[in-house]
Amino acid sequence: VDLREYNDVDAIINKLNESMALLQTEYNVDQGRYYFAGWSAGGNIAVVLSAMNQRLVAGTMVFPGTGGNQAKTYMQQPQDHQIRLFYACGDEDPLYPWDGVQTEANFWASAYGYETTFVRVEGGGHKLIEQTTGIRAHAWEWMRDYNLAN
């Protein structure tokens, strides 16, 4: 699902709810394997929405992004399932300092027991180009066997 509603959180939530309902009624999908992924502001929203919906979302991949204090309220409230989080950030990203993104990934793991990983992409800027970095394939390799049952 490609969300073109940049920073309109209500529109994004509505689109995701609509998409999940469509997937459940129109397609034969494994409902235990929903994942959110996002880049930049989309990464921020992916972390927050995943944190809010841990009973429905298996994991989140961000290239880069952070959930910050908005996600913290939900991350510190244990649910039936904890999302798995993959973070990637270029070490030359002018908008997201890589060490701040890494700090968030480490914080969720150490403070609340979430399974997280962080990849610092050497020479990577704000856009992490898949053809040169392979970061999305790497994220999917790490995430793909994770679901609501584990």
Side-chain angles (χ1 to χ4, degrees), residues 8-9 19-20 82 85 95 97 111 120 130 140:
D8 183 343
V9 176
S19 299
M20 288 176 78
Q82 286 186 321
L85 299 120
L95 301 176
R120 178 178 150 191
E130 180 62 15
W140 183 242

Side-chain angles (χ1 to χ4, degrees), residues 4 6 16-17 21 29 40 46 50 58 61 63 72-73 91 105 114 117 119 134 141 145-147:
R4 300 177 194 277
Y6 185 78
L16 289 172
N17 286 334
V29 297
S40 195
S50 294
M61 298 166 275
F63 311 98
K72 186 175 182 181
T73 300
D91 63 355
Y114 285 86
T117 194
V119 175
E141 184 66 29
D145 292 327
Y146 194 73
N147 58 56

Side-chain angles (χ1 to χ4, degrees), residues 62 65-67 75 85-88 98-120 142:
V62 292
T66 63
M75 298 292 273
L85 299 120
F86 180 97
Y87 289 85
W98 68 267
D99 53 345
V101 176
Q102 182 180 38
T103 296
E104 177 170 297
N106 292 343
F107 178 75
W108 300 141
S110 64
Y112 306 119
Y114 285 86
E115 187 173 351
T116 67
T117 194
F118 170 80
V119 175
R120 178 178 150 191
W142 185 77

Side-chain angles (χ1 to χ4, degrees), residues 2-73:
D2 185 10
L3 303 173
R4 300 177 194 277
E5 294 84 359
Y6 185 78
N7 280 339
D8 183 343
V9 176
D10 291 333
I12 292 168
I13 290 170
N14 290 337
K15 176 76 69 91
L16 289 172
N17 286 334
E18 176 185 307
S19 299
M20 288 176 78
L22 179 69
L23 287 171
Q24 293 169 3
T25 59
E26 299 293 323
Y27 299 95
N28 182 22
V29 297
D30 181 350
Q31 294 179 23
R33 297 183 71 211
Y34 287 138
Y35 310 97
F36 289 162
W39 165 69
S40 195
N44 301 345
I45 291 169
V47 174
V48 173
L49 290 179
S50 294
M52 293 170 67
N53 295 288
Q54 293 184 59
R55 289 186 181 102
L56 302 173
V57 178
T60 302
M61 298 166 275
V62 292
F63 311 98
T66 63
N69 287 330
Q70 289 182 308
K72 186 175 182 181
T73 300

